[in-house]
Amino acid sequence: MCRLFGLTSAPRRTHATFWLLDAPDSLREQSHRDPDGTGLGWYDADGTPQIRKEPVAAYEDRAFAAEAKQVRSATFLAHVRYASTGGLETANTHPFEQDGRLFAHNGVIEGLDALDAHLGPDLSRVRGRTDSERFFALITRETAARDGDVAAGIGQAARWIAANLPVFALNLILTTKDELWALAYPDTHSLYVLDRPAGGHHGTRHLDHSGAAGRMRVHSHDLATAPAVVVASERMDENPHWRAMRSGELLHVAPDLTITSHIALPDAPAHPLTLDDLRPEAAASQRAA
């Protein structure tokens, strides 16, 4: 399944190194399918969003994804994609940017014709063909309609989709230059949060996180002396304080690292999908790697 990773050390800008496909040689020997894209988003000192992303369609692309990417930011967003809709193109690779915000999604939304009709003119924000970017466009519209309240925009967009469209999962991470939001819905896939003090739970360690099967690795020396909050699709180290988000939980990390959350979607999807309901490529994208 797609891998999500978000990190904020706000207000401090920290250095971090990302390997979005660690150890590509060993990956090719695994029985599960290779990823279809990798992407990393962060912010310059002036708040300008930056994205490096690439579809993974050949060995050369896997080599690109395995290269160490050293960046400095207060917030980071990384994604490893397994395609469910949209081809292997940069335009379909996460993260996406709209109105200075970065977004990545793990899940499947069907009924895209109805979503397109609901978006109307806001469909012009969508550059690729994914359900994820359409979901983001709806969040962007609903946020603007609520005077920039991102949490309210996410909640309204997700509730409309859950009430009107077939849904497998809506897990997401959204960032600005100094804030982070995450939604887990429904309980199809896990999403974990770690409120990490400086040095981790040992008090003296830098951050060195590694996902399952070499899918993603993140390293930061700066976080030996700075606190951070991490949201990820899996527990990425031995820290005992990882917490699984609840179904429907919408979490916000403020610019001072204060965490708040509430249940934004208390009800189950009106049209829930199972793996058996999905097209073969979509089902393959949602199975655990």
Side-chain angles (χ1 to χ4, degrees):
M1 67 179 182
C2 299
R3 307 289 181 177
L4 292 170
F5 181 92
L7 185 152
T8 174
S9 58
R12 179 170 168 178
R13 288 172 54 80
T14 51
H15 286 92
T17 303
F18 289 79
W19 295 263
L20 298 178
L21 286 184
D22 201 12
D25 288 340
S26 64
L27 279 181
R28 289 200 304 276
E29 298 172 2
Q30 310 255 348
S31 60
H32 50 68
R33 57 186 291 234
D34 281 339
D36 298 312
T38 64
L40 173 64
W42 72 96
Y43 292 82
D44 287 342
D46 64 1
T48 302
Q50 300 293 334
I51 299 175
R52 289 188 69 185
K53 60 183 181 179
E54 191 80 11
V56 180
Y59 171 79
E60 291 80 8
D61 298 328
R62 287 194 290 271
F64 165 86
E67 292 174 356
K69 296 170 175 60
Q70 298 180 345
V71 294
R72 186 169 186 260
S73 183
T75 62
F76 306 87
L77 178 58
H79 185 269
V80 176
R81 179 184 185 229
Y82 293 80
S84 58
T85 58
L88 302 188
E89 302 170 6
T90 301
N92 295 326
T93 305
H94 307 225
F96 304 103
E97 184 272 329
Q98 295 178 17
D99 287 3
R101 305 181 188 103
L102 298 177
F103 173 90
H105 164 236
N106 177 20
V108 176
I109 303 165
E110 295 192 347
L112 296 187
D113 288 347
L115 180 52
D116 290 351
H118 184 62
L119 281 168
D122 292 287
L123 185 60
S124 64
R125 293 182 178 274
V126 178
R127 299 289 180 260
R129 292 175 289 175
T130 65
D131 53 348
S132 303
E133 193 179 14
R134 289 170 163 87
F135 183 17
F136 189 22
L138 184 57
I139 290 170
T140 300
R141 183 179 78 186
E142 298 300 340
T143 297
R146 288 154 180 80
D147 299 321
D149 186 333
V150 175
I154 293 172
Q156 178 59 32
R159 285 189 293 271
W160 187 90
I161 289 173
N164 293 280
L165 303 179
V167 167
F168 185 72
L170 297 180
N171 286 14
L172 67 87
I173 299 175
L174 188 154
T175 63
T176 63
K177 64 182 178 62
D178 56 5
E179 294 181 82
L180 181 151
W181 291 261
L183 174 69
Y185 180 80
D187 57 2
T188 313
H189 294 317
S190 297
L191 198 57
Y192 296 91
V193 58
L194 174 64
D195 187 0
R196 186 183 192 273
H201 71 287
H202 294 288
T204 58
R205 293 188 181 176
H206 55 257
L207 180 139
D208 195 358
H209 280 178
S210 235
R215 287 307 191 222
M216 188 185 301
R217 183 180 167 209
V218 186
H219 184 90
S220 176
H221 277 293
D222 289 350
L223 295 183
T225 58
V229 177
V230 183
V231 178
S233 299
E234 56 190 319
R235 296 180 178 92
M236 296 187 69
D237 68 2
E238 78 286 355
N239 193 309
H241 301 298
W242 287 97
R243 175 180 72 82
M245 292 178 61
R246 298 163 290 169
S247 176
E249 181 179 356
L250 176 56
L251 178 141
H252 174 229
V253 187
D256 63 355
L257 296 186
T258 298
I259 300 173
T260 56
S261 71
H262 68 283
I263 300 300
L265 285 86
D267 301 320
H271 310 285
L273 295 170
T274 68
L275 284 174
D276 290 340
D277 297 322
L278 301 179
R279 292 168 288 110
E281 62 273 22
S285 77
Q286 298 304 307
R287 291 189 174 94

